[in-house]
Amino acid sequence: MGDSTRRGRIRYGTLENEVVAYAKRKREEEDDDDAMTSTAVDSLIDIPEAAAAVRPGANIDLDQIDEILDESQDQQLNDEALETRRRAMAEFDRKRIARTIAVPTNDMQVKEALRKYGHPICLFGEDAGDRRDRLRYILSKQAIERRNAGQEDISAKEDDMENEVSSDEEKEEFYTEGSDMLLQARQNIARKSLLHARQRVEQQQKDCQVDLATIRQLRENLVDQLRKYTIVGSQVGDSRPLSRIAFSLDSSQVLVGSWTGSIKLWDIPGCQMAQLYRGHTDRVGGLSFHPQAGQGDSRVDFASGASDNEIFLWSLGKDTPIGQLKGHQSRVVHVEHHPSGDYLGSASYDGSWRLWDIASEKELLLQEGHSREVFALRFQCDGSLVATAGLDGIGRVWDLRSGRSIMELEGHAKEIFGLDWSPNGYQLATGSADNTMHIFDLRKIASIHQIPAHKSMVTDVRYFHFGGNSKAHTSCDMDMDVSGDQNVDDHEQARLCSGQYLASASNDGLINIWTAGDWKLQKSLAGHVGKVLSVDIARDGSYIASTGFDKTFKLWKADDILQL
């Protein structure tokens, strides 16, 4: 006891002064190699835990140093993953901004903008559409750089970028003064569309007086007929895929457009070629019969648009064009006659849709509004509205009487390739690359139903528009009175079925038939080898026709379909 008291107590850490002094002497004696070694060790353990491990008065745990090194390596891997994620999110952000940028549709303006920013005006193998995409990419990168530098408010990025592309473009939604011809066209459209709308509403009121049991029986008969559809004709139409098909007004012939640029008129149901039309040099995208085709009331029987940027007007009796509409800067993918027959609408890859006066062959309206290529265009049966859609995945409804966009068709996740109006005048269907169809209602200004239509992209959508077998008129021009009549004849049955079903085509090789209202699939028509590119329904309801990537067009019919 006494010896231990005299020696005093030994505490942990009492030798720290000697250890520190020894370490200091060793550091002073070490050469440059020791300095480099010390730098390497410091770089590996330069973290708070390491400093705490070697501070004076603390116990040094070598296992702790190993754990710190492992944590440092894990942190480095985490940093790399975070950096990869940051770059991916930045690219998503850039693409989102790029979709909001409006670039010029004129190729010369695009080249001037590229030159302004110090980029080549043309690359090898690049067309006008590719140049517009490249300019949009450049502007989106610059917008992000300016935003990161605090030079641009994100909410005003689209307006500022439009000003940089062209000083004469407005920052917000803008209106330009139209020509006197456009003013007269708007007034003419307003007068005729109001007349058609009144006739349509009156007819719908009369149809409401038909006995409910009769309507139910007609619906059951319709469903039964649709389920009996089968292939009744198939014909190889050309040496390349067939892109578009359209029935004549009397349902006795079909026009078929090809990727070779040729257009052929076929008699049905025999599938015998009646006429070959030559004029286009690239794939045909749009075909439309004039509302008075073949009646002698119009010199123009049908119109066509193609990837050669041209729109041609044709007479059924001549194999060369009788008129030409010039203006589009890129591929024309769709054309449609206005119900009045006085005007023609066209959709193009130059990002615009246009309205033309057929008599003078002049452009009345060049309308932008889509951030990417416009692919589909359809007029409402009254003639007052037109719907357009394209590769931006957004559709728009335009009022032709005022020029305003009155509704956006939102809901698709990918590009929209097909759309069509219902004969009721207030609903329309769209088909998209997201494999779905949407049904929009103008009265609710919203999508009222989404249909998972196919296993691949929907390429075309078409309602049944009744047009009779003797008169050429739109589906809204009926004026039969069936109130109180329980013995509805075949002609009246077909009219009451107008708009009650629609067909969709897809890259999965199928044509699907759907009933309207309940939106149920009634029949899938399989026969094409590969993609189906277009579909149409005869105006008397007797046939459905389709074209495909297999270079054939096919006719489909119910076994005991009504013969009107």
Side-chain angles (χ1 to χ4, degrees):
M1 274 307 271
D3 293 340
S4 62
T5 302
R6 288 192 298 272
R7 287 182 299 183
R9 295 179 180 178
I10 299 177
R11 305 175 186 274
Y12 285 105
T14 56
L15 299 180
E16 64 181 10
N17 294 333
E18 288 80 3
V19 173
V20 171
Y22 175 78
K24 183 176 181 181
R25 289 197 303 273
K26 291 295 291 181
R27 284 196 297 272
E28 292 175 350
E29 295 173 357
E30 287 175 345
D31 54 9
D32 294 339
D33 293 338
D34 179 55
M36 290 185 291
T37 303
S38 177
T39 302
V41 172
D42 290 342
S43 65
L44 290 175
I45 64 173
D46 187 17
I47 55 178
E49 290 85 351
V54 297
R55 69 174 182 267
N59 294 324
I60 301 176
D61 190 347
L62 297 179
D63 292 337
Q64 184 179 4
I65 294 178
D66 293 337
E67 292 176 1
I68 293 171
L69 293 177
D70 292 339
E71 292 177 0
S72 177
Q73 294 174 355
D74 292 340
Q75 182 66 29
Q76 183 177 2
L77 293 176
N78 290 336
D79 291 342
E80 292 177 357
L82 289 174
E83 177 64 18
T84 301
R85 181 178 179 183
R86 186 193 65 80
R87 291 178 180 176
M89 294 303 296
E91 179 63 14
F92 285 135
D93 188 34
R94 185 200 65 78
K95 291 182 178 180
R96 180 182 61 81
I97 293 175
R99 286 195 294 268
T100 67
I101 298 175
V103 299
T105 57
N106 187 292
D107 194 42
M108 292 304 298
Q109 293 181 5
V110 173
K111 291 180 179 179
E112 291 175 1
L114 290 171
R115 184 181 291 110
K116 174 183 176 181
Y117 293 111
H119 291 268
I121 65 173
C122 185
L123 300 178
F124 179 76
E126 184 180 58
D127 60 13
D130 296 332
R131 270 189 294 276
R132 294 182 72 246
D133 291 340
R134 182 157 59 93
L135 176 59
R136 182 179 286 109
Y137 175 83
I138 294 169
L139 293 177
S140 65
K141 296 288 288 185
Q142 293 182 354
I144 293 176
E145 292 174 358
R146 288 195 300 271
R147 184 188 63 183
N148 293 339
Q151 298 177 2
E152 181 189 39
D153 190 313
I154 188 62
S155 63
K157 60 184 178 296
E158 178 178 355
D159 300 337
D160 294 343
M161 284 182 284
E162 288 180 1
N163 286 335
E164 289 185 10
V165 173
S166 176
S167 59
D168 59 359
E169 292 186 9
E170 297 293 335
K171 295 191 302 182
E172 301 175 351
E173 185 178 4
F174 63 94
Y175 298 91
T176 56
E177 184 177 358
S179 64
D180 292 337
M181 288 186 63
L182 178 59
L183 176 61
Q184 295 174 5
R186 292 196 190 282
Q187 294 172 344
N188 184 41
I189 290 172
R191 286 191 297 269
K192 293 185 177 181
S193 64
L194 288 174
L195 175 62
H196 289 182
R198 182 169 62 250
Q199 294 174 347
R200 172 173 58 84
V201 172
E202 290 175 352
Q203 186 61 58
Q204 289 174 346
Q205 292 174 346
K206 293 177 182 179
D207 291 345
C208 291
Q209 300 175 16
V210 179
D211 185 76
L212 183 60
T214 303
I215 296 296
R216 185 182 295 110
Q217 185 62 46
L218 288 175
R219 179 78 171 193
E220 293 176 357
N221 292 342
L222 173 64
V223 172
D224 183 62
Q225 293 291 332
L226 296 179
R227 291 175 178 174
K228 294 179 180 179
Y229 263 81
T230 185
I231 188 168
V232 296
S234 179
Q235 178 70 304
V236 176
D238 207 356
S239 59
R240 297 194 68 192
L242 306 181
S243 53
R244 189 68 63 178
I245 192 166
F247 274 101
S248 62
L249 302 185
D250 60 2
S251 304
S252 65
Q253 295 177 312
V254 289
L255 273 176
V256 179
S258 167
W259 279 16
T260 63
S262 67
I263 302 171
K264 296 179 181 179
L265 182 68
W266 300 83
D267 293 325
I268 57 174
C271 296
Q272 300 295 322
M273 189 177 71
Q275 184 71 50
L276 171 64
Y277 304 95
R278 297 185 181 274
H280 291 293
T281 59
D282 205 344
R283 63 185 69 178
V284 175
L287 289 173
S288 175
F289 272 102
H290 192 280
Q292 287 85 39
Q295 296 184 3
D297 298 332
S298 174
R299 70 183 186 92
V300 176
D301 290 319
F302 70 94
S304 64
S307 295
D308 55 11
N309 308 351
E310 302 287 355
I311 300 173
F312 288 143
L313 305 177
W314 306 81
S315 172
L316 288 172
K318 298 188 64 175
D319 60 357
T320 56
I322 62 174
Q324 185 176 13
L325 306 178
K326 282 184 168 291
H328 281 295
Q329 302 297 315
S330 189
R331 173 184 174 189
V332 180
V333 289
H334 203 97
V335 295
E336 176 87 351
H337 279 92
H338 187 268
S340 67
D342 298 329
Y343 312 106
L344 183 77
S346 60
S348 170
Y349 265 37
D350 62 12
S352 71
W353 68 269
R354 309 191 186 204
L355 186 69
W356 309 83
D357 181 76
I358 295 179
S360 62
E361 299 181 10
K362 292 184 178 180
E363 178 187 293
L364 298 176
L365 174 66
L366 187 158
Q367 181 65 62
E368 297 177 328
H370 290 274
S371 61
R372 293 190 61 190
E373 295 86 343
V374 185
F375 200 91
L377 176 147
R378 293 285 186 186
F379 289 104
Q380 185 234 26
C381 58
D382 295 337
S384 59
L385 306 176
V386 61
T388 61
L391 305 191
D392 56 1
I394 300 294
R396 290 184 180 273
V397 178
W398 307 83
D399 190 335
L400 292 172
R401 300 162 296 185
S402 64
R404 294 177 179 270
S405 174
I406 63 172
M407 180 178 175
E408 289 189 356
L409 310 178
E410 296 181 315
H412 285 293
K414 294 184 179 180
E415 301 91 340
I416 299 175
F417 291 113
L419 62 82
D420 194 23
W421 287 91
S422 170
N424 63 26
Y426 53 82
Q427 290 181 339
L428 68 158
T430 57
S432 168
D434 62 9
N435 309 347
T436 68
M437 292 195 304
H438 278 256
I439 309 299
F440 293 90
D441 195 312
L442 266 65
R443 301 170 301 178
K444 298 183 179 180
I445 317 179
S447 171
I448 61 172
H449 198 79
Q450 178 180 351
I451 306 173
H454 290 272
K455 296 181 180 179
S456 186
M457 68 169 60
V458 182
T459 56
D460 202 5
V461 178
R462 195 66 171 155
Y463 272 96
F464 167 48
H465 293 256
F466 176 74
N469 63 335
S470 60
K471 298 190 297 181
H473 43 66
T474 67
S475 58
C476 297
D477 289 339
M478 307 303 167
D479 57 1
M480 288 187 182
D481 187 359
V482 297
S483 59
D485 182 9
Q486 303 305 315
N487 298 317
V488 183
D489 61 18
D490 290 346
H491 187 278
E492 186 64 8
Q493 288 184 42
R495 191 191 64 76
L496 290 172
C497 290
S498 183
Q500 294 300 308
Y501 67 96
L502 65 160
S504 62
S506 170
N507 278 359
D508 62 8
L510 299 177
I511 300 100
N512 287 342
I513 306 176
W514 312 82
T515 46
D518 56 6
W519 314 113
K520 291 183 178 180
L521 176 63
Q522 301 299 338
K523 183 73 173 182
S524 288
L525 306 177
H528 283 283
V529 179
K531 306 172 184 178
V532 183
L533 301 182
S534 75
V535 65
D536 196 16
I537 303 176
R539 290 169 65 88
D540 62 1
S542 57
Y543 293 96
I544 292 177
S546 59
T547 60
F549 205 77
D550 56 5
K551 310 172 189 176
T552 69
F553 72 90
K554 300 185 185 298
L555 298 177
W556 315 83
K557 181 181 178 181
D559 291 338
D560 53 350
I561 196 71
L562 296 175
Q563 300 294 327
L564 304 181

